[in-house]
Amino acid sequence: MADHASASIVINAKPATVMAAIADIAAYPTWVGQIEQTEILEVGPAGRPKRARFRVNAGIAKDEFVNDYTWHDDAKVTWTLVEGQAMSAQDGSYTLRDLGEGQTEITYDLTVELKIKIPGLLRRKVQSGIVDAALKDLKKHVES
């Protein structure tokens, strides 16, 4: 069964600055708490990652997986799971909305289906925590 989580945050930066940080997947291990390692496997025509491998440690679950990315300028990025050890599906997106005056609202949507059996309440709590932490890590990274 797939679980979905979504949250938003406002970052004091323009959308292009925020999207540049999101697109710099190689730097994720330096500022994203759960990500231990990344590898860009393929770069798209605009120079942004098209396919990337991740090794994560989300407390109760560790995983290594590959995602494919689709970039929509500085407005949105979507991704989908290509292969994973603990996940059978993952679809996510960051949607950026320019609020003016150097502020951007970022909405993170994540839907994940795990191969391993974890009680539903715990799965949803972990996933919501991952989404919340990712937004807070992004805000701290961009605003620092």
Side-chain angles (χ1 to χ4, degrees):
M1 171 182 264
D3 291 302
H4 177 259
S6 181
S8 297
I9 198 167
V10 174
I11 294 179
N12 295 313
K14 294 182 178 186
T17 301
V18 176
M19 193 59 84
I22 293 169
D24 189 6
I25 291 172
Y28 281 16
T30 65
W31 62 270
V32 180
Q34 297 93 356
I35 296 180
E36 296 178 337
Q37 184 179 4
T38 61
E39 178 186 2
I40 307 302
L41 302 174
E42 186 179 337
V43 177
R48 289 180 170 167
K50 179 165 176 37
R51 181 170 282 190
R53 179 184 320 278
F54 297 85
R55 189 173 68 218
V56 299
N57 183 348
I60 64 163
K62 293 182 180 186
D63 198 8
E64 193 166 313
F65 57 91
V66 174
N67 283 343
D68 273 349
Y69 289 83
T70 302
W71 302 89
H72 307 273
D73 298 315
D74 291 331
K76 186 173 188 171
V77 58
T78 60
W79 61 89
T80 189
L81 182 73
V82 176
E83 62 184 56
Q85 293 175 352
M87 289 182 286
S88 56
Q90 180 191 133
D91 292 296
S93 69
Y94 281 109
T95 304
L96 282 61
R97 187 167 67 96
D98 190 347
L99 300 177
E101 299 183 17
Q103 290 191 319
T104 304
E105 178 185 64
I106 298 91
T107 300
Y108 182 15
D109 281 296
L110 184 64
T111 302
V112 172
E113 187 168 340
L114 297 175
K115 294 177 183 176
I116 57 177
K117 301 280 188 221
I118 298 174
L121 181 62
L122 184 56
R123 277 194 331 264
R124 288 184 293 278
K125 182 177 180 180
V126 168
Q127 187 167 352
S128 292
I130 289 169
V131 168
D132 186 55
L135 286 172
K136 288 178 180 174
D137 287 349
L138 178 62
K139 180 177 176 73
K140 182 178 177 183
H141 175 67
V142 171
E143 292 181 354
S144 63

